[in-house]
Amino acid sequence: MEAVISFLVLSLLPQIIVSEVPTTTKYRAIVEITSGDSRIFSGESLSLRCIIPDKYKASWDYLWFRGSVQLPQFGEMYQLWNANVKESGKYSCQGKKETALGSIKTLRSLPNEIHVDGGFAILQMAKRRVLIGDALDLKCRLRGSAPVHETILYRDGIEVMVQNGSSLDFHLPHVTLEDEGRYSCRVSWDLSRRTHSVMSVPTLVNILEVLTKPVLEIDKDNAQLERNKMKLVCHVQYNAPAPAPPVNYYFYKNNNLLGPAISLNHMNVRKAAGWYSCRAKVPKLDMVRWSEPQSFGEVAGPPLMPPRPHLRSQMTSRSPPHTFSAPETQPASPKYFASTPSSDQHTESPSPSSPSSESPVSTSLPTSGQLPGQTQTPEPQSVSWGLF
């Protein structure tokens, strides 16, 4: 009987061990474009690369996906040759390797969206991330070679800038949040005594704040804490380019500071009713953002608001109208739009005063005639410390 029991235990042991082996790693794959652009014309090519941030340099196989569909490709590189409109979509990849205990996979990468356009004009962005204060550079690409005489830039269907001549590049300096929107371009040329014109599909342009407004989370049911404790978490998005200076976090109860600045975005405190808030500060950038107050327990009256900081002129001053500087050899006839930024990035103030679709769409074809030589393509700050 003992021999039978020992045999059963030994036969089940490998299954128990295998079942405890993790099937995924902490690594997340990364997809990057190595040649081409995220917006290309049909018939053009594009190369994607899957990167596994594995410091041990292990050997990986690669799985590729368009949306939720796995593609018949297993190499590190993915090639789109002579791309067609149907190949538009969100591309992602995942690492996979076989071990003695089974198959292990990485986390799937964040998707990289590719647009294959069957029309005649595409609007491309020079940079993928544009922060407040950056310049926005856009290029209107034209299929074929036409004698262009005018290019118009639109945002949300409203004319932003007009330039005469053959240049297809637009430069918008010092953008603000007001410059967000869907941009498109129209290109016009004359041929055989007729004016031809094509327009691109809109391209979404997001303008990011360097430091977003924090959101305070009160985690009162954290199982890892004592029953009389809760966790305050200050969520903020920090978009400064590397090497980014550090962010300091401050936590408050009823506008009383709950301790010194910390580099972590969370703090454990005793459960007590009151209004809680947090503040994120980047000292080297002289940038401060406050969260909205969050209540915990039974509190009377309206929320206690943090002090109103002084406005930073460099971050919130009204931007001048965008202008376009054309090369000396080409005349320009720019039109402008004025922006009124709404960013509320501030300096600190000691004053305790209270403040108040994945489916592709082709661009339109020329309004008349064909492109020359081109066959038609289908397709509060307080000094009192209240640790409690």
Side-chain angles (χ1 to χ4, degrees):
M1 178 62 71
E2 292 180 357
V4 172
I5 294 174
S6 299
F7 174 77
L8 290 174
V9 170
L10 292 174
S11 62
L12 292 174
L13 186 59
Q15 300 179 26
I16 296 173
I17 295 175
V18 170
S19 64
E20 294 180 352
V21 174
T23 57
T24 59
T25 70
K26 63 181 180 179
Y27 304 123
R28 182 179 293 278
I30 302 170
V31 170
E32 68 173 11
I33 299 175
T34 57
S35 67
D37 192 87
S38 59
R39 289 179 176 267
I40 60 174
F41 286 120
S42 56
E44 294 183 331
S45 299
L46 174 72
S47 296
L48 300 172
R49 180 187 178 196
C50 187
I51 301 173
I52 309 298
D54 179 4
K55 62 181 180 180
Y56 300 107
K57 307 298 182 183
S59 178
W60 293 89
D61 294 322
Y62 301 88
L63 307 177
W64 286 92
F65 303 86
R66 183 170 64 242
S68 59
V69 178
Q70 184 173 343
L71 302 169
Q73 172 74 27
F74 300 95
E76 180 184 6
M77 304 294 295
Y78 186 89
Q79 303 285 344
L80 280 176
W81 300 107
N82 193 25
N84 62 67
V85 174
K86 293 181 180 180
E87 292 179 289
S88 295
K90 296 180 179 180
Y91 285 78
S92 59
C93 71
Q94 186 175 33
K96 177 183 177 181
K97 65 179 178 180
E98 301 295 335
T99 69
L101 299 177
S103 177
I104 298 178
K105 296 180 181 179
T106 68
L107 299 174
R108 191 183 297 189
S109 70
L110 297 176
N112 198 323
E113 189 161 9
I114 303 300
H115 298 267
V116 182
D117 199 302
F120 287 91
I122 293 176
L123 187 64
Q124 295 178 334
M125 292 178 58
K127 293 192 299 185
R128 297 184 182 278
R129 290 202 327 160
V130 182
L131 303 180
I132 290 177
D134 284 353
L136 174 61
D137 291 299
L138 300 166
K139 180 180 181 63
C140 193
R141 284 190 62 208
L142 181 65
R143 192 195 292 265
S145 55
V148 175
H149 68 75
E150 182 183 73
T151 310
I152 306 175
L153 181 67
Y154 299 88
R155 187 189 70 231
D156 298 329
I158 300 174
E159 186 178 292
V160 171
M161 186 182 297
V162 179
Q163 64 184 45
N164 296 324
S166 60
S167 176
L168 301 175
D169 299 322
F170 292 96
H171 178 76
L172 281 64
H174 310 301
V175 295
T176 71
L177 291 178
E178 297 294 323
D179 297 323
E180 281 193 332
R182 302 184 69 85
Y183 285 78
S184 56
C185 64
R186 180 183 292 278
V187 183
S188 301
W189 66 95
D190 293 330
L191 187 66
S192 302
R193 298 183 180 181
R194 299 179 65 182
T195 297
H196 306 259
S197 181
V198 293
M199 192 164 183
S200 72
V201 166
T203 299
L204 179 62
V205 175
N206 292 315
I207 309 298
L208 303 177
E209 296 181 89
V210 176
L211 186 69
T212 63
K213 183 175 182 177
V215 176
L216 179 67
E217 175 192 359
I218 302 177
D219 183 3
K220 59 183 182 298
D221 299 317
N222 194 310
Q224 298 179 350
L225 301 180
E226 301 175 16
R227 292 184 61 184
N228 66 334
K229 295 284 188 177
M230 63 184 184
K231 186 176 185 178
L232 304 179
V233 186
C234 194
H235 297 283
V236 66
Q237 185 177 350
Y238 186 35
N239 296 308
V247 181
N248 292 337
Y249 296 92
Y250 304 78
F251 293 87
Y252 298 82
K253 175 195 172 187
N254 297 333
N255 283 354
N256 292 315
L257 186 60
L258 298 177
I262 56 177
S263 59
L264 300 176
N265 73 330
H266 54 85
M267 171 182 277
N268 299 333
V269 299
R270 185 172 65 86
K271 291 181 179 179
W275 290 100
Y276 292 84
S277 57
C278 69
R279 177 167 60 101
K281 178 180 178 181
V282 185
K284 288 189 177 182
L285 300 180
D286 197 14
M287 188 177 296
V288 178
R289 302 299 303 270
W290 284 85
S291 73
E292 295 290 339
Q294 299 288 334
S295 64
F296 174 77
E298 295 184 5
V299 291
L304 297 173
M305 303 299 290
R308 182 190 297 274
H310 296 301
L311 297 177
R312 282 191 56 78
S313 59
Q314 68 186 54
M315 299 304 297
T316 60
S317 59
R318 288 179 176 268
S319 302
H322 293 305
T323 60
F324 167 72
S325 298
E328 295 182 0
T329 57
Q330 297 180 13
S333 175
K335 293 187 179 179
Y336 318 111
F337 69 90
S339 357
T340 53
S342 58
S343 171
D344 59 344
Q345 299 180 4
H346 311 301
T347 57
E348 297 177 79
S349 170
S351 171
S353 58
S354 298
S356 55
S357 117
E358 197 169 328
S359 298
V361 182
S362 299
T363 54
S364 59
L365 301 182
T367 53
S368 59
Q370 294 274 122
L371 281 167
Q374 173 68 44
T375 59
Q376 182 172 331
T377 303
E379 312 195 81
Q381 167 142 16
S382 170
V383 295
S384 62
W385 289 21
L387 286 170
F388 54 92

